[in-house]
Amino acid sequence: MLALGVFNVLALVAGHTILNTSAHPSESEADLLVYSGAYVHLQDCTRYATEYHLAFDIFDSAVVDGSLVPGTTEKGSDVLKQVFAHLESMHNRQHRLFSLFLFVNAEYFRVIRIDRDGCIASDKRLWQNTDKFHPLDDFLHLFDHLSLEEQGLDTTVREVPQEDTVLEARARAALESYVPPHKREGPILGMKVPIDAEAKSGWRSFYVWAPERDACGICTRATLSCPAWCPRENKVFFLKDSWRPLHAEHEADVIRQLNENGVRYSPTLVCGGDLPDQQTVTHLYIVHKHNVGQDTKCRPRVHHRLLEHFYRPLWEFKSSKHLLHILDNACTCHRDAVEKCQKLHRDLSFRNIMWDDETQEGILVDWDRCAQTPTPVDMAKDPCLNPLAELPRKSSRSERTGTWPFMSSMLLKTPGKLHTVQDDLESLFWVALYIILLYFPCGDIDVVPMIDRIFYEIETDDGTARGGSKKYDFLLARGFAAFFDLPDSVSEPLAIWLSMYCGMLNDWVQHHTSLLALREQLTALEKKHGKGVDRWGRSARLRKALAEIERARPDLRGYEELQNQWKAIVEQGEEEGLFIENDRFNDDVHQHPPEYVLKIYRARRAVATEQKRFDNARANQQAIAVRRQGSSKQLAQGVRRKRDSDEPQTGSLRSTMRLSLGQSVGLGEGDADDARRRPTKRPRRPAQSDSGGEAKGKERRTGD
């Protein structure tokens, strides 16, 4: 399929069908798509696109050859993002080696080719200001006559022919239990797997239905994994398809080496290797003058495919005892790989630890990121090499390998650090803790914030991502509540094992941190004064302290002490009957992968938080209403109390007045009331002191 970003173009492609996606918005982000099929006229196919894309370019041609610079306008940058988003969608929905995109504006067009290493863009070719559209016509005509492989399709993958209906039905029946219902609408595909590298010994054919996980990104490994049915053995295997870096380990060869050297609990390889003639070619063209689409830094990739036995994922473990057994088997596989094959895994995660349904034993899979550790020959040449670390990198490029949530605290804090056995053993601990938090009852622990703080901490400093400080705090029991007091419904040995493992990691991290600090001090001192100069004996003291710490042997110096204590905890738990069957969650939610379980936990927590906020708001409203109602009642009661208190005071005052009145005239209480009600005359003043007046006054009083 050719994706067309065509504007004001009339194209005739006889061998393909051209679809105007403006009428089918769900089909693609591109304006036109070309499919294999009949001819379709393009008379009205450009109306939707011409409104937005007229005369700008998505690339800047005025730059040094070999550098990717988007257009200077904001609209040009947005269109470029749209182009790459569509190409990513094409690559992840189809089995492709590369894709082609035709960008056409009002005056010229560009051809863009993209593979798993990057993008190549041609220079401008005019098409509108010429009498005939020869360049564009020539390109479309040539594309119309390309084979499927030349158009970028992977010819080792094909649909089952219509005449093989019986074979297709058998494949569906065999794979149905492995494919989720929402993915069963896709077709059955036949896929060829090389027996060995470059298919020197031939191919084997298998049938797949739908991948367990879809590939993502363009310039990535694009790992695709799915169950594959073998008609010859009538058995389902596990198929893995990826684009490995050119100089990385061949995973099929690594697993083959593990099997040949008797590495316990390693996956059993059926067949696999690099696919012949399927490599990225972008790196071959980045220096060409016509290319304006790719940065000079590139990473060539090779298409790799393998088949191994099918195993069950870690999160389907049966109990805490089974979980400890699976993790112990994975640790044993890791140890054997280092000691027997000098291979360091470097990517322990919950997806890379599985278990065999028949033997119930754990399997350590996904060895595509492993690294070589020093061999005896390497150690003889350079005794300073660490036998439990990867070989020093030849390139100066800083590289960290692993799955971020489970990488060790030191790797996250120190970009460029060599990967060691202890880093992988710490990753094993974080995988166990992650699974326990999601699949076991954890009492009062708020799981979601704890997972976010420990596993998804990330800080960006000068463009470099760092983390690990919360993991370091957890190992040192700083800022985290005691986690190891699990509920009684969980087997006690699991909590004991966690505490033991955490203690060992604590000792190792502190030991390693002290070593780094002393080495940095010694290096800085020698850099300042020179190696031969030792003022005040500081260098000697630092070397002595460094030697003492190096002589110390923490328990996690190797595998021995860890696995001995691990074994002792399990045996003691079995002897004392401390293991509980089915002590994990077994509801429908916890039959799914951790990503799904964590998503459900987040949703539940969001609902609970919202409900709590609603309850608090309602409680506050009720409290306000009660206070308001209480204020009204208190006001009414206050008025009544005041009135009631005023009435006794008035009555007593009246009584006092009546009593005073009665006493002043010599009447009783009843007489005093009568006197108060009857009008009285004011007594006259006595007359002057003469006899006549006195006599007249007496007469008046007598007359009254």
Side-chain angles (χ1 to χ4, degrees), residues 169-181:
R170 289 180 60 196
R172 288 185 183 275
L175 297 171
E176 187 173 10
S177 61
Y178 298 89
V179 179

Side-chain angles (χ1 to χ4, degrees), residues 327-624:
L327 296 176
D328 183 41
N329 296 151
C331 184
T332 300
C333 177
H334 192 278
R335 178 177 183 174
D336 282 1
V338 172
E339 295 178 352
K340 296 179 179 181
C341 301
Q342 289 77 49
K343 299 295 182 184
L344 185 62
H345 191 279
R346 299 198 306 170
D347 188 22
L348 272 72
S349 70
F350 62 77
R351 289 195 174 277
N352 296 343
I353 301 175
M354 310 185 81
W355 56 283
D356 192 328
D357 198 13
E358 296 180 0
T359 64
Q360 306 295 303
E361 293 176 338
I363 306 293
L364 183 58
V365 301
D366 282 358
W367 290 84
D368 55 341
R369 297 177 184 269
C370 72
Q372 185 73 32
T373 59
T375 63
V377 176
D378 295 326
M379 294 299 299
K381 294 180 179 178
D382 187 359
C384 295
L385 291 174
N386 182 358
L388 299 181
E390 63 177 323
L391 285 171
R393 305 181 187 99
K394 296 180 180 179
S395 65
S396 58
R397 186 169 62 91
S398 176
E399 179 182 355
R400 283 178 295 187
T401 300
T403 304
W404 185 274
F406 311 108
M407 292 172 66
S408 72
S409 57
M410 297 305 297
L411 280 175
L412 293 176
K413 293 171 67 175
T414 315
K417 173 186 177 297
L418 289 180
H419 208 113
T420 64
V421 166
Q422 288 76 18
D423 291 318
D424 274 1
L425 293 179
E426 185 178 337
S427 295
L428 184 63
F429 173 82
W430 297 124
V431 171
L433 180 60
Y434 195 88
I435 292 296
I436 290 170
L437 287 171
L438 291 179
Y439 291 88
F440 285 91
C442 296
D444 297 332
I445 296 175
D446 198 347
V447 172
V448 173
M450 187 171 185
I451 286 179
D452 288 340
R453 290 177 63 192
I454 296 176
F455 296 94
Y456 296 104
E457 175 206 8
I458 182 170
E459 299 176 356
T460 303
D461 183 16
D462 298 332
T464 302
R466 287 183 172 83
S469 60
K470 295 297 185 295
K471 288 182 176 179
Y472 186 79
D473 291 341
F474 183 88
L475 295 177
L476 272 60
R478 296 190 310 204
F480 290 90
F483 167 75
F484 306 113
D485 295 332
L486 294 174
D488 294 337
S489 59
V490 180
S491 300
E492 185 179 356
L494 182 63
I496 298 174
W497 176 85
L498 273 173
S499 181
M500 176 273 297
Y501 209 147
C502 185
M504 283 193 175
L505 289 172
N506 182 359
D507 294 342
W508 173 257
V509 168
Q510 291 195 55
H511 169 79
H512 188 69
T513 303
S514 300
L515 278 178
L516 288 180
L518 287 176
R519 286 171 181 168
E520 288 178 359
Q521 293 179 28
L522 185 59
T523 302
L525 190 64
E526 291 178 346
K527 184 177 180 180
K528 182 177 181 180
H529 301 292
K531 289 188 176 182
V533 180
D534 187 10
R535 294 185 177 182
W536 312 107
R538 292 178 60 189
S539 298
R541 288 194 297 271
L542 286 175
R543 290 192 181 90
K544 182 179 179 181
L546 187 61
E548 292 177 355
I549 294 178
E550 289 176 342
R551 283 195 297 269
R553 299 190 61 84
D555 291 338
L556 210 63
R557 190 81 178 187
Y559 300 90
E560 194 69 29
E561 188 62 27
L562 171 64
Q563 291 198 296
N564 287 342
Q565 294 195 31
W566 194 327
K567 182 179 179 181
I569 291 172
V570 173
E571 290 179 350
Q572 184 178 0
E574 291 175 342
E575 292 176 0
E576 299 181 6
L578 300 178
F579 283 107
I580 303 173
E581 294 295 330
N582 299 320
D583 54 349
R584 56 159 290 170
F585 289 126
N586 285 302
D587 58 308
D588 292 339
V589 171
H590 292 87
Q591 303 304 317
H592 291 82
E595 300 98 334
Y596 177 85
V597 177
L598 184 58
K599 181 179 178 181
I600 297 299
Y601 278 23
R602 292 188 191 280
R604 290 176 179 175
R605 190 172 187 272
V607 171
T609 302
E610 185 65 20
Q611 183 64 39
K612 185 178 180 180
R613 187 189 65 80
F614 176 77
D615 293 342
N616 291 338
R618 186 171 59 179
N620 291 336
Q621 292 176 356
Q622 292 176 352
I624 293 172

